[in-house]
Amino acid sequence: MAREQLGICAEANLHASYLLLNALDGQEKLLRYKLPLISQLLDRLSEHFSEAMLTGIVAIGSNFWSSLYPNARPAMLDAFPYLAVDEFNLSPVPIDLLIVVRADRLDVITIACQQILQLFQGLVEVQEQLQGFRYLDGRNFTGFIDTPFNPANRIKRQVALVDVAQQPIFSGGSYVYFQHLSFDQAAWHRLSQAEQEEIMGYDKVSGKALANIQQLPCSHLATIQNLNAAATVLIQSMPFYQLQRQGVIQLNFAATSEALKLRLHQRLGLSENAKGPDLLLNYHRVELSAAFFAPSISFLEQSAKD
């Protein structure tokens, strides 16, 4: 049975680092050998710092997959869609590798990232390093609970992980959309709480959905509730803060690439049953979008041996 990467379905942490890496030319063989070593590195640190709840994710960019693993490719693994939407620029960027390290101790994450970058020295260049953190017990900069209607418990695995009956080689893996979004906090705070709740579709304090008569057809929650089961995704997101900007780093995981595309189309108001774009997007600007596949640890280890 394939061993999935524990960071995909793990519970939320206090901190996270996101490493966006591009491979140097001709280093595919060494990268295949070293990628499974990341899970070993994280396991070793997790045992040493057991209270830190350290987990991680290794994902390979859709554009880079065939260069790294030319003999097998996940079904329908495509680049992040380029969609012509007047109001929104999705800023799709080809990134070769995404490495996420999460823990309840920032110092442990720092140690892990240092060792990972040392492991890949001379093989990759760092495109971006982003830092996320848990804010107000799981809220984001809107002040609302983040993803209160996310799949939970066993449903997480069904939604996020490839089923062995569908793709035996890639079972336990997950399709991933990564987005880095900045947030216009000043404009948001000019709204009343009632206006904010209409945009979100749920109560600011409790996270409970508003009554149907209060729901706007394009509220953030409505764009989720209007999806069918085939478009359900698992969302991991964390706020980030810098002096000049703040926002959210979001990872969407799904057992099929189609689910990610359906979710994106719904949020942008492009699907058949959509009433318009998610109103929350009016307060965000997409800095970067990219598509990845996070294979199982078993696949990474077997590919290194091959």
Side-chain angles (χ1 to χ4, degrees), residues 38-60:
I38 294 177
S39 63
Q40 298 175 25
L41 183 158
L42 294 176
D43 286 345
R44 186 172 64 250
L45 289 173
S46 179
E47 185 176 347
H48 188 72
F49 301 102
S50 57
E51 78 287 357
M53 305 300 292
L54 179 68
T55 63
I57 300 164
V58 177
I60 292 88

Side-chain angles (χ1 to χ4, degrees), residues 145-152 200-203 207-210 215 220-221 224-225 232-233:
I145 297 172
D146 195 48
T147 60
F149 305 97
N150 228 9
M200 298 300 292
Y202 54 93
D203 184 84
K208 294 181 179 178
L210 299 180
Q215 281 278 3
H220 179 59
L221 178 58
I224 299 172
Q225 291 180 326
T232 306
V233 303

Side-chain angles (χ1 to χ4, degrees), residues 108-274:
V108 176
I109 288 178
T110 301
I111 293 169
C113 288
Q114 288 175 338
Q115 293 188 9
I116 289 169
L117 291 177
Q118 185 176 10
L119 179 68
F120 286 93
Q121 188 173 10
L123 304 180
V124 301
E125 59 182 6
V126 179
Q127 182 78 10
E128 182 101 55
Q129 180 176 7
L130 301 168
Q131 190 69 42
F133 63 97
R134 188 169 173 84
Y135 178 70
L136 295 179
D137 294 328
R139 297 175 185 267
N140 53 43
F141 283 127
T142 65
F144 285 72
I145 297 172
D146 195 48
T147 60
F149 305 97
N150 228 9
N153 303 321
R154 294 181 181 179
I155 305 299
K156 278 186 180 182
R157 295 171 56 83
Q158 297 174 13
V159 166
L161 301 177
V162 175
D163 186 85
V164 65
Q166 302 298 320
Q167 297 191 71
I169 295 176
F170 297 111
S171 64
S174 187
Y175 294 86
V176 187
Y177 275 2
F178 174 93
Q179 286 196 294
H180 177 213
L181 305 99
S182 60
F183 176 60
D184 190 344
Q185 198 167 13
W188 181 257
H189 285 313
R190 287 194 289 267
L191 301 174
S192 67
Q193 181 170 322
E195 290 172 325
Q196 293 176 358
E197 289 177 341
E198 285 184 336
I199 290 170
M200 298 300 292
Y202 54 93
D203 184 84
K204 190 169 188 176
V205 177
S206 68
K208 294 181 179 178
L210 299 180
N212 288 337
I213 58 173
Q214 297 173 282
Q215 281 278 3
L216 295 178
C218 299
S219 71
H220 179 59
L221 178 58
T223 64
I224 299 172
Q225 291 180 326
N226 290 339
L227 292 170
N228 57 40
T232 306
V233 303
L234 174 66
I235 300 174
Q236 281 184 16
S237 61
M238 273 191 154
F240 74 90
Y241 180 82
Q242 299 168 350
L243 287 177
Q244 300 298 325
R245 59 179 180 169
Q246 63 281 316
V248 64
I249 303 162
Q250 187 172 94
L251 291 169
N252 289 359
F253 296 94
T256 68
S257 63
E258 187 63 20
L260 294 175
K261 293 173 187 173
L262 288 170
R263 173 73 181 102
L264 180 65
H265 279 72
Q266 179 74 20
R267 196 169 189 204
L268 294 173
L270 299 176
S271 61
E272 290 183 4
N273 64 337

Side-chain angles (χ1 to χ4, degrees), residues 87-88 182-184 187-188 191 199 218 267 277-285:
E87 302 94 322
F88 311 109
S182 60
F183 176 60
D184 190 344
W188 181 257
L191 301 174
I199 290 170
C218 299
R267 196 169 189 204
D278 182 347
L279 293 173
L280 184 58
L281 290 175
N282 292 325
Y283 299 88
H284 286 86
R285 183 180 72 253

